[in-house]
Amino acid sequence: MRRLLTSLIALLAVANLGAQENVPKLVVCITVDQLRGDYIEYFYNTFGEKGFKRLLNEGLVYGNVRFEFSNIDQASAFATLYTGSNPAFHGISGKNTYDFSRERETSILHDPNFLGNYTKENYSPKNLLASTIGDELKIASKGRSDVFSIAPDAETAIISAGHAANGAFWLDNYNGKWATTTYYKGLPWYVDRYNYGPESLSTRLEQMVWTPTLPIDRYNAFPYVLDDLPFKYTFNEKMADCFPLLKTSPFINKEITRLALQFLEHGGFGTRSCPDMLALTYYGGNYASLMEKEYTREIQDLYYQLDQDLENLLDAIDKKVGLQNTFIVFTGSGYYKSIEEYPDGLMMNIGEFYPKRCVALLNMYLMALYGQKNWVTGYYNGQIYLDRKTIEDEKMDLEKIQSKAAEFVAEFTGVQHVTTEHSLRTGNWNESTANFRQGTHHLKRGDLIIELQPGWKVNNEKRGEKPQIVRHNAVLTPLIFMGNGLKPQHVYREVKATEVAPSITHILRIRPPNATSNLPLSELILKSSK
């Protein structure tokens, strides 16, 4: 009997050790803002073997991630990926919001209660209403896990870090330093040293010249590039838009990688009793001064250099922590930003929608119905806001006014559909308006949500701003899990963006974020049960 008990105890100990080995020491979430899966395919022949190709060959690969709402942007996409819920729950429906009383646009994360480190901006995750992957990891580990994020912009850095993280860092638009907010208490010494040492961006800026990395004839993915001239871009701190421009060049990805390597070298990732987390954001969109040019050699070069950055990052993780101890998550943000321009003489069935004129005419219409009051506050980001205070003071029926206003706006040429806030809030919506409900939060959305016909231009009549052309194209967005003993596999089905977070937390053996209702992806459930 004693021998049997000893054997059982030994067997349980071995099984428990095997189970512990399934939990990674480090999770690295790599999200490429504006990543396009079709570009990975088009530029594939220019890549090396240890960047994109390594992810595709060694990872569990899903072909496309679908976001369940329209008007996706940087902030709403990242909040969805890291909370496992849509804007209807996590509250981030866009990167910016508009203060009609002050007539100015502000970041959705603006918070005057906190100061900035290496920045004059004030941010916190207060308006992110759901918990994130990092939050749940900090709760489960009772604070022992380290959670950090690095990104080009404050919104993506803070959202991917969450509320309970040690720190979130982004490149300040004015001084080029790695900035954070005093909301987070962690400011590692090596970030301070990096900002002021010989490795700082300002000391290297003059040598940063963007020219073709490959021979010019290797950039042959697009037959629509007409000129054979090489490109050349330089960056100077005296330029007002120096750092915002740099953030849309390959150099931002190199800076992300350089700082990430500092964290890997000095941060002790993978050495604690509980898993650590590092969230990294790369850039995969157009160069800012070329937004109106869809097909360029610059975008091909950016992807080529991003491939090298991924190689350097994966190699560093392997050497410092070991890929067998690390869970890699790679995906994109599900949208792509560009400015369309049509050649002269090209006949297109399009028109222009003028929000200011629409608001003025709607106000006149409501005046004719309900009296000489200012019934409309304004328009922002595809939504019209009524003056709720006036409606309340006049003891008017808000639902009735929204309905009348929607009927009026629906008659405008170019308007595809209009729905009201009341319809979305009370459940009176259908498949055609599901995107509106998922993509907005009931405390922040306008009274009317407008969808324009594809190809129509939104002309805000602002000096220096080009009309925005409406497109409803989906962006092919791969999702890849790699490391931690995962076997290579390609899964040919579409997955939802809200399934990413609960899949990661399942591998970490912690609760999913509090607003997600999705189960982990089945392939990862099967993996962790083996």
Side-chain angles (χ1 to χ4, degrees):
M1 177 65 74
R2 184 175 296 174
R3 286 184 179 180
L4 178 60
L5 286 173
T6 304
S7 299
L8 285 171
I9 291 170
L11 183 63
L12 288 171
V14 170
N16 185 53
L17 179 61
Q20 289 177 350
E21 287 177 347
N22 284 333
V23 180
K25 295 180 179 179
L26 172 65
V27 58
V28 179
C29 296
I30 306 169
T31 312
V32 183
D33 185 32
Q34 301 184 55
L35 175 73
R36 288 183 54 160
D38 55 342
Y39 281 5
I40 296 175
E41 176 188 345
Y42 300 158
F43 311 151
Y44 189 83
N45 290 334
T46 65
F47 298 149
E49 298 299 320
K50 299 178 68 177
F52 282 116
K53 289 183 180 179
R54 185 176 189 178
L55 289 166
L56 292 168
N57 293 333
E58 298 181 19
L60 168 58
V61 181
Y62 297 87
N64 185 51
V65 175
R66 177 170 59 88
F67 289 79
E68 300 171 283
F69 54 95
S70 54
N71 294 329
I72 307 167
D73 76 346
Q74 187 186 73
S76 60
F78 275 73
T80 297
L81 289 168
Y82 283 88
T83 67
S85 60
N86 288 313
F89 290 95
H90 62 60
I92 306 296
S93 57
K95 181 178 179 179
N96 297 313
T97 186
Y98 195 81
D99 185 338
F100 288 101
S101 62
R102 298 183 180 182
E103 296 186 347
R104 70 179 187 185
E105 194 176 49
T106 59
S107 169
I108 190 72
L109 299 184
H110 175 72
D111 189 344
N113 294 314
F114 295 95
L115 299 176
N117 276 320
Y118 297 108
T119 181
K120 296 179 180 179
E121 305 293 337
N122 310 96
Y123 295 106
S124 86
K126 178 184 68 175
N127 288 330
L128 179 62
L129 304 180
S131 69
T132 65
I133 301 164
D135 292 338
E136 296 297 336
L137 180 57
K138 293 291 281 190
I139 293 169
S141 69
K142 292 182 169 52
R144 288 173 292 172
S145 296
D146 267 10
V147 176
F148 285 98
S149 71
I150 307 171
D153 299 309
E155 289 78 14
T156 45
I158 292 171
I159 289 170
S160 56
H163 306 82
N166 298 75
F169 297 92
W170 64 89
L171 199 70
D172 184 73
N173 280 335
Y174 301 99
N175 60 35
K177 306 286 186 192
W178 285 108
T180 187
T181 163
T182 54
Y183 172 89
Y184 298 111
K185 306 309 177 187
L187 184 60
W189 60 267
Y190 43 89
V191 176
D192 265 330
R193 187 186 68 177
Y194 193 86
N195 274 336
Y196 283 109
E199 291 295 304
S200 68
L201 178 58
S202 58
T203 62
R204 296 178 284 108
L205 195 60
E206 290 185 5
Q207 286 75 44
M208 298 172 74
V209 180
W210 184 16
T211 55
T213 314
L214 295 171
I216 202 74
D217 60 356
R218 292 285 306 279
Y219 302 105
N220 55 10
F222 299 130
Y224 315 104
V225 180
L226 300 180
D227 63 82
D228 293 322
L229 298 175
F231 53 84
K232 182 177 181 180
Y233 303 99
T234 58
F235 302 91
N236 190 317
E237 282 188 273
K238 294 180 180 179
M239 299 163 47
D241 58 351
C242 171
F243 296 111
L245 272 175
L246 185 137
K247 286 185 182 184
T248 61
S249 77
F251 291 121
I252 186 58
N253 294 331
K254 298 191 182 307
E255 294 305 301
I256 298 289
T257 303
R258 290 172 73 99
L259 187 59
L261 296 185
Q262 293 288 311
F263 274 85
L264 288 169
E265 181 64 28
H266 305 293
F269 287 114
T271 62
R272 281 168 273 273
S273 59
C274 298
D276 297 314
M277 176 176 166
L278 181 62
L280 304 176
T281 301
Y282 287 110
Y283 180 74
N286 280 331
Y287 186 51
S289 64
L290 298 173
M291 284 294 176
E292 75 285 355
K293 294 183 179 180
E294 190 80 14
Y295 312 101
T296 65
R297 292 190 177 91
E298 285 87 341
I299 193 67
Q300 297 176 66
D301 189 72
L302 184 142
Y303 270 72
Y304 174 75
Q305 294 199 50
L306 175 57
D307 179 66
Q308 295 177 319
D309 293 318
L310 291 171
E311 176 181 337
N312 292 335
L313 177 68
L314 293 175
D315 281 347
I317 292 171
D318 201 9
K319 290 175 183 176
K320 197 67 181 178
V321 184
L323 284 177
Q324 73 277 9
N325 301 316
T326 306
F327 187 53
I328 305 289
V329 185
F330 177 88
T331 191
S333 55
Y335 78 102
Y336 189 76
K337 188 187 299 182
S338 64
I339 299 173
E340 294 189 37
E341 287 189 351
Y342 298 122
D344 292 339
L346 186 65
M347 299 299 293
M348 296 291 292
N349 186 26
I350 59 173
E352 292 194 3
F353 177 75
Y354 294 85
K356 289 183 179 179
R357 302 178 192 182
C358 176
V359 165
L361 290 171
L362 174 61
N363 199 49
M364 291 172 62
Y365 171 71
L366 295 177
M367 282 181 177
L369 290 179
Y370 304 115
Q372 298 298 307
K373 298 286 183 179
N374 186 30
W375 300 103
V376 185
T377 299
Y379 170 97
Y380 181 72
N381 195 28
Q383 301 176 50
I384 290 178
Y385 295 78
L386 300 180
D387 193 324
R388 294 288 186 92
K389 187 176 187 308
T390 298
I391 294 170
E392 184 179 348
D393 290 345
E394 295 297 313
K395 297 181 171 56
M396 304 296 294
D397 186 330
L398 177 61
E399 178 189 356
K400 184 178 180 180
I401 293 181
Q402 286 181 351
S403 180
K404 284 291 185 182
E407 291 174 5
F408 181 78
V409 174
E411 297 299 320
F412 278 69
T413 306
V415 173
Q416 180 84 12
H417 188 82
V418 183
T419 193
T420 68
E421 192 278 330
H422 183 270
S423 295
L424 300 181
R425 179 163 41 87
T426 58
N428 185 21
W429 53 277
N430 52 40
E431 187 176 348
S432 65
T433 56
N435 281 346
F436 296 148
R437 182 180 181 276
Q438 297 282 21
T440 57
H441 191 271
H442 68 279
L443 295 177
K444 302 173 184 177
R445 62 181 165 230
D447 294 274
L448 307 182
I449 298 92
I450 303 171
E451 182 180 34
L452 296 180
Q453 293 174 359
W456 271 68
K457 297 179 180 179
V458 179
N459 192 331
N460 289 309
E461 300 178 87
K462 291 182 180 179
R463 182 178 297 178
E465 180 180 290
K466 295 182 179 180
Q468 303 168 344
I469 297 180
V470 176
R471 298 189 71 90
H472 298 323
N473 301 118
V475 175
L476 190 65
T477 305
L479 169 65
I480 303 173
F481 300 106
M482 191 182 85
N484 195 43
L486 271 179
K487 293 182 179 179
Q489 183 182 359
H490 281 251
V491 180
Y492 299 98
R493 78 168 188 276
E494 190 174 67
V495 300
K496 295 187 292 187
T498 50
E499 294 177 298
V500 176
S503 298
I504 298 170
T505 54
H506 178 74
I507 292 295
L508 291 171
R509 302 189 180 185
I510 59 177
R511 299 177 309 184
N514 58 18
T516 187
S517 58
N518 289 104
L519 292 172
L521 292 165
S522 59
E523 291 78 13
L524 292 174
I525 295 176
L526 292 172
K527 181 265 174 190
S528 62
S529 65
K530 291 180 180 178

